[in-house]
Amino acid sequence: MRGTRLAALLAAATAAMLCAGCGVGPFAADPTPTPAATIAATPTPAPTAEPTPTPLPVVAHARVTTSDLNVRMGPARSYPAIGRLQPGAEVGILGRSADELWLALDGLGWSFFDATWYELDVAVAALPTVGAEASAAPTHPQETDTGFPLLNDVIADVEAGSADVLASRVTPRTTPCVTTGDAAAGPRCPTGTTAGTPVDAIALTACAAEWAPAAEGRAAIERFLNDASDQRAPLRLYAVLAAAGDDPAAATYVLLFAFERAEARALWLGESGAITRIGTGCKGERAGELLAQIAGDDPVYYVTPFAPPPLSPLR
């Protein structure tokens, strides 16, 4: 249709040039020109870039007046403690929780507020309300030595984005398959296989526990290394903790990582460095939130989240 229309326009233009001096008909000397139709190009929408969070400003300062004041990953006692503040410690305040029970400490974490535990230079009600992500503890610097050479090797591979090397470490687990739709119950049985038949599969943790066929180890590692916008981005170590309580028979350590935007990832490792579970995380799930899920109320750290002075890390 478009080609026919274009040909007709060209033919009309040619006739106009040939009959421009005829003085009669539709191509007379002083015609009223008919504008040609303009086909508007459909713009290609530009990809929407995910905004990089802007760090919150320090809006107040506080001096600690009590001993062994716990600093936690988030504004609740369900978040793991990452260090303690001692009398005389001075900290910057980014804001408070909506219920005014917790203070967000600049670069450290969250601490419970009691008027007898702090000398605060403003009224707590005057502080801005901020979300749990406001004071996430930062990641460790690149090439941090954990004291465990085996873990250092895996961490270096993650920081370098070495998908092939990491994929070679992925170790499928022989697990009874299921025919139900519950992804957490076990790997799906291949066609023609009865429930309970042992199959090789890869344990995953995204927004919930799930399984993938053994052949998809490389794809799972790619998901692990890519952020929520599906872009390869540098991961940095957040914490190393014991895997006891998760599945001691399959894992000994859990390595937690975070992207610059704080989205979290995790790897479960056996004693030999084999990757026994891959945690690709939920979109926007922060490292402190994932740590609280994995570690529970009493985590055992081998390398604590980075805690600058005046924090003394808990071990």
Side-chain angles (χ1 to χ4, degrees), residues 11-250:
T14 303
M17 288 187 291
L18 292 176
C19 297
C22 296
V24 293
F27 303 106
D30 295 308
T32 300
T34 300
T38 301
I39 301 175
T42 302
T44 301
T48 302
E50 293 197 10
T52 301
T54 302
L56 294 176
V58 173
V59 296
H61 292 83
R63 184 174 181 273
V64 177
T65 57
T66 190
S67 299
D68 294 329
L69 178 61
N70 279 333
V71 176
R72 297 183 179 274
M73 290 286 182
R77 285 192 169 89
S78 58
Y79 285 91
I82 58 173
R84 295 189 178 102
L85 290 168
Q86 302 302 331
E90 296 184 359
V91 292
I93 306 298
L94 304 178
R96 60 171 173 83
S97 59
D99 56 12
E100 300 183 11
L101 294 179
W102 297 84
L103 298 180
L105 312 182
D106 181 35
L108 299 179
W110 290 79
S111 191
F112 189 80
F113 175 73
D114 184 298
T116 65
W117 296 352
Y118 290 96
E119 293 175 355
L120 193 59
D121 59 4
V122 299
V124 66
L127 295 171
T129 301
V130 295
E133 72 282 358
S135 188
T139 56
H140 290 272
Q142 192 170 5
E143 299 182 357
T144 292
D145 184 359
T146 67
F148 297 82
L150 182 65
L151 301 184
N152 291 343
D153 290 343
V154 177
I155 293 166
D157 292 337
V158 171
E159 291 177 339
S162 302
D164 290 334
V165 178
L166 292 170
S168 70
R169 290 182 178 273
V170 176
T171 304
R173 297 165 60 177
T174 302
T175 307
C177 68
V178 298
T179 55
T180 65
D182 185 2
R188 294 283 292 178
C189 291
T191 303
T193 305
T194 58
T197 301
V199 298
D200 290 337
I202 299 167
L204 303 176
T205 300
C207 295
E210 57 185 71
W211 295 83
E216 294 182 8
R218 181 64 159 73
I221 288 295
E222 288 290 348
R223 287 172 57 193
F224 170 87
L225 292 172
N226 288 3
D227 64 15
S229 58
D230 204 26
Q231 300 293 318
R232 182 64 58 85
L235 279 167
R236 295 290 179 264
L237 177 67
Y238 186 75
V240 179
L241 59 150
D246 177 75
D247 189 350

Side-chain angles (χ1 to χ4, degrees), residues 29 48 60 134 155 163 201 215 233 253 294 302:
T48 302
I155 293 166
Y253 315 100
I294 295 173
Y302 291 103

